[in-house]
Amino acid sequence: MPSHAGWPRSWVRKKIRVNAIAPGEVETEGTHSAGLIGGDFEKAMIARTPLGRIGQPDDIARVAVFLASDDSAWLTGERLMASGGYR
């Protein structure tokens, strides 16, 4: 999302802000059914994640609530990484 002159300023005038959440590995029904939780893949992800755990849906929900709140009123055109520090 560009934050330069090409950004749709008309959106800002309409109080439309566009931000994105880039989640890391999160434990969900999908990650369980894909076999990503409980095995070597999960262990490898945990080992490479500074916070030392797989994310939970509430971890991402908190970031979404922040973006929907007035506390994020000065953010637009941003991508927030919610990954426990994994890069």
Side-chain angles (χ1 to χ4, degrees), residues 1-78:
M1 286 176 264
S3 58
H4 51 72
W7 178 250
R9 292 178 187 267
S10 62
W11 292 7
V12 175
R13 285 191 288 268
K14 294 177 184 178
K15 299 187 181 197
I16 298 171
R17 296 179 299 119
V18 179
N19 295 296
I21 301 170
E25 187 67 35
V26 177
E27 183 176 2
T28 64
E29 289 178 22
T31 56
H32 275 278
S33 65
L36 302 177
I37 301 297
D40 291 339
F41 180 82
E42 180 184 17
K43 289 176 188 171
M45 288 299 297
I46 290 170
R48 294 190 316 238
T49 302
L51 288 182
R53 66 177 178 84
I54 296 294
Q56 296 298 308
D58 279 352
D59 294 321
I60 307 307
R62 288 182 188 104
V63 176
V65 167
F66 165 72
L67 286 175
S69 76
D70 289 339
D71 291 336
S72 70
W74 191 239
L75 293 178
T76 192
E78 299 297 333

